[in-house]
Amino acid sequence: MKFASPDMSKIYQNAERDDIDLRSLHFLDEALVSIKELSNPAVRNQDLPDFSHCTRIDTHTHPVPDWYRKLSPLAAGRDTPSWSPSAHLKFMHENDITRSIICISTPQANLFPDDETRTVALARLLNEFCFEVVRCYPDRFSFLAVVPLPYTDRAVKEAKYALEELGAVGVGVMTNHDGLYPGDQRFAGFWSYLGRRDPIDGCQKREIVFVHPTDPVIRVDGAQKIPISSSGGKLVSSNPAPFRSGLGEFYFETARAISSLTASTTIHDNPSLHFRISHGAGAFPCIADRFLLGFPELEKNARKMYSERFWYDSAGPVYPHQIKGLLAYDIGVGQMVFGTDYPYGIGFWDVKANINGLANADFLNNEEKEAVFHENAEALWKGKIERF
């Protein structure tokens, strides 16, 4: 049976319905061509590898449309990698991965600071691209939606569209959006919306939020006097180190994001939210005890949430050393999931060695390794991904 092409008119119609100006993006035509091209039989590669032996669930991967790579040629100081469905599927087959959860990496939709129109339009276009990847390969990919934060009302609308109409299995946010961290009071309405969504088909109420690091920035030129949506400010890098942020600052960003979510009581006020944390929680295990000294009234419940509603991936050189910080913090293996950061990890760290660090970890038994490689992810997404 012939595979149907995407309905491009529907993309326009839905954007117009939601008051999104796709034409504000000068690369729109190229992006729409790339979406349509995904369904091309030559691109889809009908002779897919045999995945019958594959069991692993990769919870941290990123599609990179060619037009997006041109817009954002650097990622954390490195060249943004190229990507294609066929290359991704080949990587999965070679590494015993049956399904990848994809989400656009930094800077997601935040390429146009203080430009709400284009940020909203870019978020929609990225979600339509990810939806098409999943539509073409439903047995191999699921996607997490990006949202146009810091514009909270528009982020709510985009999350609703992606979750309810496109079938996203969660949302992805960054450690900061235009310098605002996820616990900022201006984001409260977004978290509240996610927290009160109805459960799917009677399953346990659970919304999954993937927290991914991005470059730290600070607003100058009257930063304390203007709202984030004003055009009067300017965002500049606040990375204090002489080396690129991907080598260390990303881990500190992750710690800042968890701290922000905790101190703001966001995690306390929204009990149905489950947070998928990148890179083994980054630097947070090192600072958690000291940080929580400042919030004694939150500490007991926060520690409980870190061990029950936070899920930590293995992307990066996490095993066998870094992960021990979480284990020492009394985070159980049941909260650990597998991730590779494909394709961004390629050429940065030895992905094979990273996977083997988990596969050969002498402090985990075989049952625990199987849990990290796939069973924990299956439990997290149960009811949201059909095969789970």
Side-chain angles (χ1 to χ4, degrees):
M1 187 166 108
K2 187 176 180 180
F3 188 84
S5 297
D7 187 345
M8 309 308 285
S9 64
K10 188 175 181 180
I11 293 177
Y12 277 114
Q13 291 167 3
N14 289 341
E16 184 176 358
R17 176 199 67 191
D18 294 336
D19 192 28
I20 296 173
D21 182 10
L22 293 180
R23 283 292 174 192
S24 66
L25 303 174
H26 66 276
F27 49 87
L28 175 63
D29 291 341
E30 182 181 1
L32 293 177
V33 168
S34 75
I35 293 173
K36 187 174 183 179
E37 187 67 12
L38 287 168
S39 65
N40 184 322
V43 175
R44 289 185 64 231
N45 187 9
Q46 298 288 346
D47 297 325
L48 295 176
D50 178 11
F51 286 91
S52 61
H53 71 284
C54 299
T55 59
R56 296 169 179 170
I57 310 297
D58 192 342
T59 69
H60 186 152
T61 68
H62 307 290
V64 189
D66 286 343
W67 51 269
Y68 185 76
R69 182 161 48 87
K70 293 176 186 176
L71 289 170
S72 182
L74 294 178
R78 296 177 66 237
D79 291 341
T80 300
S82 59
W83 174 92
S84 70
S86 59
H88 197 152
L89 290 164
K90 182 175 183 290
F91 170 82
M92 290 168 62
H93 178 259
E94 291 174 348
N95 291 284
D96 192 25
I97 298 166
T98 185
R99 182 175 293 271
S100 290
I101 314 295
I102 61 174
C103 186
I104 299 295
S105 187
T106 177
Q108 292 188 349
N110 293 110
L111 277 166
F112 309 107
D114 293 326
D115 189 329
E116 181 175 347
T117 297
R118 288 196 291 173
T119 301
V120 170
L122 179 54
R124 173 58 58 91
L125 206 54
L126 290 169
N127 286 330
E128 295 287 4
F129 183 90
C130 290
F131 165 73
E132 187 62 20
V133 173
V134 173
R135 192 180 78 91
C136 291
Y137 307 93
D139 292 335
R140 301 295 156 232
F141 296 111
S142 301
F143 88 101
L144 299 164
V146 301
V147 293
L149 289 173
Y151 310 104
T152 303
D153 290 345
R154 302 309 299 264
V156 168
K157 183 176 287 189
E158 187 61 25
K160 180 178 176 65
Y161 173 72
L163 291 165
E164 297 182 4
E165 299 187 47
L166 299 184
V169 298
V171 299
V173 301
M174 294 187 297
T175 49
N176 81 79
H177 289 266
D178 286 355
L180 294 180
Y181 285 85
D184 192 282
Q185 63 180 358
R186 282 163 280 196
F187 295 175
F190 175 69
W191 299 123
S192 178
Y193 160 72
L194 290 180
R196 66 175 182 267
R197 270 176 39 84
D198 292 333
I200 299 175
D201 297 331
C203 295
Q204 179 183 358
K205 189 169 184 179
R206 173 180 294 177
E207 289 297 335
I208 300 164
V209 180
F210 179 43
V211 182
H212 192 280
T214 191
D215 292 277
V217 295
I218 191 169
R219 187 172 290 278
V220 297
D221 296 336
Q224 302 303 316
K225 300 178 182 179
I226 60 174
I228 192 69
S229 60
S230 168
S231 60
K234 182 179 180 181
L235 294 173
V236 297
S237 172
S238 61
N239 177 14
F243 42 80
R244 58 185 177 84
S245 57
L247 292 176
E249 191 60 28
F250 267 26
Y251 275 28
F252 300 125
E253 271 289 294
T254 300
R256 293 183 190 110
I258 298 174
S259 300
S260 174
L261 288 166
T262 303
S264 64
T265 72
T266 297
I267 61 174
H268 301 75
D269 298 339
N270 299 281
S272 67
L273 300 186
H274 284 244
F275 294 91
R276 263 286 296 106
I277 307 297
S278 300
H279 308 299
F284 188 70
C286 297
I287 70 161
D289 287 344
R290 185 181 180 97
F291 164 74
L292 288 171
L293 289 175
F295 304 92
E297 73 283 3
L298 303 178
E299 179 179 4
K300 181 178 179 180
N301 283 338
R303 290 182 185 275
K304 188 172 188 293
M305 293 169 196
Y306 300 154
S307 64
E308 294 180 358
R309 287 171 40 214
F310 280 52
W311 306 71
Y312 311 88
D313 72 48
S314 61
V318 172
Y319 287 82
H321 302 300
Q322 182 192 330
I323 198 66
K324 293 177 182 177
L326 279 175
L327 295 173
Y329 196 70
D330 295 328
I331 305 295
V333 174
Q335 299 304 119
M336 313 299 181
V337 292
F338 174 59
T340 65
D341 212 351
Y342 182 86
Y344 288 80
I346 303 298
F348 183 15
W349 54 71
D350 185 333
V351 174
K352 288 282 189 182
N354 190 53
I355 295 173
N356 287 335
L358 168 55
N360 300 326
D362 59 10
F363 51 89
L364 299 177
N365 61 40
N366 289 336
E367 289 76 15
E368 290 172 325
K369 292 173 186 177
E370 288 301 303
V372 178
F373 273 124
H374 67 93
E375 292 171 357
N376 295 342
E378 291 168 357
L380 177 59
W381 272 283
K382 185 177 181 179
K384 295 179 178 293
I385 295 177
E386 186 174 345
R387 288 184 59 193
F388 301 167

